[in-house]
Amino acid sequence: MIPAGTDREYTNYDKMAARYKVDRTTAARWSREEGFPELLYTAGQGSLQIYDENDVDDWVRENHFGSWFQSQRDKKNPLNLPKGGPRDLLALRRIGELEGRALNRPATPTATLRTYVSKGILPPADRTPDDGLQPKVTEPMWFRETAYAYISRPRRTRRAENTGEGRRSTSEQSPDAGQLLKLDLPAGEPGDLLTLREIGEIDGEARGRGKATTISTLKNYQSRKLLAKPDRLPGDDLEPAVEEPMWFRSTAYRFIRRPGRLGAAARAPRASSEAPQELREDLELPKGADTDLLSLEEIGVIDGEARGRGKAASVPSMRTHLYNGSLAKPDRMPGDGLEPAVEEPMWFRSTAYRFIRRPGKLGGAR
């Protein structure tokens, strides 16, 4: 029963279906996905499930943007874009920043936007250098109204099917779910996007080879249809935009768990009840504020020096630590709307130092 006098807005599966232009089964399935708002109560003889409408709307925008955007079509500025004159001039980089902010993701790279121009998704620039118009411009520029029409265009979304075993490849050579190996893989959502290089790093680590699977080897697996075709390609007009072929985590993990011999590291027995070790307190680390921002490369430099290896930890090695959970996710991302703006993933010094002080043997320089 909805409390009398409340100004809180409520929703249920039928209302969600009507608002987001999906069927009731889809709305019910959303309620079982991670992070969906908690059920407030059930009402009526049919045990109608009641949720907070604003909380649901925020969740749908974050997790099913295409459906959320459908619910905003009648609004003048559904993405809450900054106000301004229709003929204000915007550079390509600024358009990417505004699109990222509107869609709650990193800024769209200028390379991707140029691809969209070539495909006609983003119209050609309204102004170009030496076009004889005033004011003069030194790079291609777009009117605000042109840019906003592009950002607010209808969008398609595509996500991996979350069926417990992940997205099934269409390849005839793909093994059945029962044949897949049970490997220790980094946690994440089935619809997370991974590059070929990232798949190689996880594959090499999980299958116990001690080094990343090479790009050429992975392409060979592709030609043999053991690794499915990419789920996303540059310029496919899906969200988020990508600059290179990408695979859903579910697609990649199905490949990584393929039947076959494992390396020595993966075959070694794992301690199941080993007590967690404390962080090292004997490392000399550069001083600074906990909230100082460090890039992955900078963390690798400090890590190599502090742990006595005589050289910086490479960026690929640092990414492997990131994927296996040793290094926490970035504290800051491009286009996250925070200050100062960042152009690449960044970590607080406190986050980075917790990783650097991890238990384990130090190098010879120590």
Side-chain angles (χ1 to χ4, degrees):
M1 180 176 178
I2 298 176
T6 181
D7 59 357
R8 192 174 189 178
E9 297 181 342
Y10 298 90
T11 189
N12 55 52
Y13 297 151
D14 292 320
K15 289 184 177 180
M16 293 179 210
R19 177 169 185 166
Y20 302 113
K21 309 297 188 295
V22 298
D23 55 49
R24 190 180 188 280
T25 302
T26 298
R29 188 182 71 245
W30 287 351
S31 70
R32 298 191 294 274
E33 293 184 17
E34 183 176 355
F36 193 83
E38 292 185 5
L39 175 69
L40 297 180
Y41 52 84
T42 57
Q45 294 181 345
S47 297
L48 197 66
Q49 294 177 306
I50 305 298
Y51 296 87
D52 183 284
E53 184 177 83
N54 292 328
D55 290 347
V56 169
D57 197 57
D58 289 342
W59 183 89
V60 174
R61 176 170 182 168
E62 181 69 23
N63 294 275
H64 297 278
F65 181 83
S67 297
W68 177 85
F69 192 71
Q70 286 294 325
S71 71
Q72 307 293 308
R73 298 302 294 170
D74 296 332
K75 296 184 178 180
K76 282 188 175 181
N77 187 11
L79 299 177
N80 196 29
L81 293 166
K83 295 180 180 179
R87 295 283 168 150
D88 291 345
L89 294 173
L90 304 179
L92 205 57
R93 181 185 181 90
R94 179 57 176 163
I95 294 173
E97 292 172 350
L98 290 172
E99 183 173 37
R101 184 176 303 176
L103 305 184
N104 291 326
R105 60 167 173 76
T108 305
T110 54
T112 300
L113 291 174
R114 291 191 187 100
T115 300
Y116 288 167
V117 172
S118 68
K119 290 178 175 289
I121 300 170
L122 172 62
D126 295 294
R127 293 290 315 282
T128 57
D130 302 321
D131 59 10
L133 301 177
Q134 295 295 329
K136 292 182 178 180
V137 297
T138 58
E139 61 180 309
M141 303 287 280
W142 282 256
F143 293 141
R144 186 183 296 276
E145 61 183 357
T146 304
Y148 281 15
Y150 154 75
I151 295 172
S152 301
R153 70 194 186 280
R155 298 169 184 269
R156 298 179 293 129
T157 57
R158 179 174 163 194
R159 293 180 178 270
E161 297 174 12
N162 188 1
T163 59
E165 287 296 337
R167 180 181 178 272
R168 181 177 292 275
S169 168
T170 58
S171 167
E172 293 181 358
Q173 299 184 36
S174 296
D176 293 334
Q179 297 176 308
L180 298 178
L181 301 179
K182 293 184 178 180
L183 302 176
D184 185 11
L185 299 174
E189 293 300 310
D192 291 344
L193 293 172
L194 303 176
T195 65
L196 200 59
R197 183 178 299 278
E198 291 168 341
I199 293 172
E201 291 170 350
I202 299 174
D203 185 69
E205 173 72 19
R207 295 184 70 91
R209 287 191 295 274
K211 61 180 180 180
T213 304
T214 64
I215 298 294
S216 60
T217 299
L218 290 174
K219 288 181 177 178
N220 180 265
Y221 281 129
Q222 276 188 275
S223 67
R224 294 161 53 194
K225 298 184 179 179
L226 292 173
L227 173 59
K229 293 180 180 180
D231 294 292
R232 294 291 315 284
L233 291 169
D236 59 11
D237 198 25
L238 300 177
E239 296 298 337
V242 299
E243 293 187 273
E244 59 183 300
M246 305 282 279
W247 284 256
F248 290 135
R249 187 183 296 275
S250 56
T251 305
Y253 279 14
R254 186 174 182 83
F255 158 72
I256 294 170
R257 294 172 57 210
R258 66 196 179 278
R261 182 176 175 82
L262 301 180
R267 296 196 305 269
R270 298 175 182 266
S272 59
S273 59
E274 184 178 354
Q277 296 176 278
E278 295 183 357
L279 299 178
R280 301 194 68 109
E281 299 288 350
D282 58 340
L283 301 183
E284 296 182 5
L285 300 174
K287 297 185 182 301
D290 286 348
T291 54
D292 289 343
L293 294 172
L294 302 176
S295 68
L296 201 60
E297 184 175 5
E298 291 169 334
I299 297 173
V301 171
I302 299 174
D303 185 70
E305 176 69 21
R307 297 185 70 90
R309 286 191 299 274
K311 61 179 181 180
S314 67
V315 171
S317 296
M318 294 300 300
R319 286 182 180 144
T320 299
H321 286 301
L322 176 61
Y323 303 142
N324 66 25
S326 301
L327 173 61
K329 292 181 179 180
D331 296 293
R332 294 290 314 283
M333 292 291 290
D336 59 12
L338 302 178
E339 295 295 339
V342 298
E343 296 185 354
E344 61 181 307
M346 303 288 280
W347 285 256
F348 291 139
R349 187 182 297 274
S350 57
T351 305
Y353 280 13
R354 182 172 183 82
F355 158 73
I356 295 170
R357 293 172 54 218
R358 67 193 180 278
K361 187 177 180 180
L362 302 181
R366 299 289 298 180

